[in-house]
Amino acid sequence: MTVKLIAHTLIEKDGKYLLIKRSKIKRGLPNVYPSYWDIPGGSVEENELPREAALREAMEEVNQKIRIDKIIHEDSQFDASQETVFTRLVYTGRIMEQHDIILDPEEHSDFVWITSLKDLEDELIVPYLIDIFAVKSI
């Protein structure tokens, strides 16, 4: 069995949160949760700490240098088809240096700043993010 660690950051600025929309196709293959709203994050690489991965992913996915505050969420699930346990850590973070948001169209098709999930009513949102916003009462 393999264990994969994933690190995400819920980035906040002036009371708003940055969400990015997952592309339908990622590098030529169907994406996981295509066209769903998510937050920056991805796999922790070999010899990398989860916090470092979250910082790297924020820069790679949205071109933002952030400061991480704390972990706000953890979940794990077993994927029998891959014989892999996926564990996700979600941090809160704040932008340190504001830059234009630049998305990789191979991964994400749009971004939005929201105050609550009500701002995205009738949109697709990754399940773990719904849980986070429910706990934060956002």
Side-chain angles (χ1 to χ4, degrees):
M1 178 179 70
T2 304
V3 176
K4 293 223 177 195
L5 192 54
I6 303 163
H8 287 267
T9 307
L10 179 62
I11 299 171
E12 186 268 336
K13 179 183 172 241
D14 300 327
K16 294 190 173 193
Y17 300 92
L18 178 61
L19 272 62
I20 50 183
K21 192 175 221 180
R22 300 172 68 86
S23 60
K24 291 181 182 180
I25 304 294
K26 181 177 177 179
R27 295 177 187 26
L29 299 171
N31 203 351
V32 177
Y33 287 109
S35 301
Y36 278 65
W37 290 98
D38 200 353
I39 55 176
S43 294
V44 177
E45 296 177 356
E46 189 172 338
N47 299 319
E48 183 178 49
L49 298 173
R51 185 175 285 262
E52 293 168 343
L55 294 170
R56 175 182 52 75
E57 290 286 348
M59 183 57 73
E60 289 177 4
E61 293 190 348
V62 292
N63 191 44
Q64 299 301 308
K65 184 172 183 177
I66 63 169
R67 180 188 82 228
I68 288 178
D69 295 325
K70 62 183 177 178
I71 292 176
I72 59 167
H73 178 82
E74 177 274 327
D75 67 77
S76 295
Q77 39 193 79
F78 178 68
D79 184 328
S81 67
Q82 297 183 47
E83 294 188 11
T84 302
V85 172
F86 290 92
T87 296
R88 176 188 351 267
L89 299 176
V90 180
Y91 299 91
T92 55
R94 299 186 185 278
I95 293 177
M96 291 180 55
E97 297 174 17
Q98 179 72 49
H99 299 283
D100 288 341
I101 293 182
I102 300 171
L103 302 175
D104 177 352
E106 285 286 316
E107 290 194 39
H108 301 98
S109 61
D110 201 1
F111 73 91
V112 67
W113 289 94
I114 64 168
T115 54
S116 78
L117 290 182
K118 292 175 188 163
D119 295 345
L120 292 173
E121 205 167 344
D122 299 325
E123 294 276 341
L124 300 169
I125 299 164
V126 293
Y128 79 92
L129 202 52
I130 293 169
D131 295 341
I132 290 170
F133 274 75
V135 170
K136 290 182 67 65
S137 298
I138 298 171

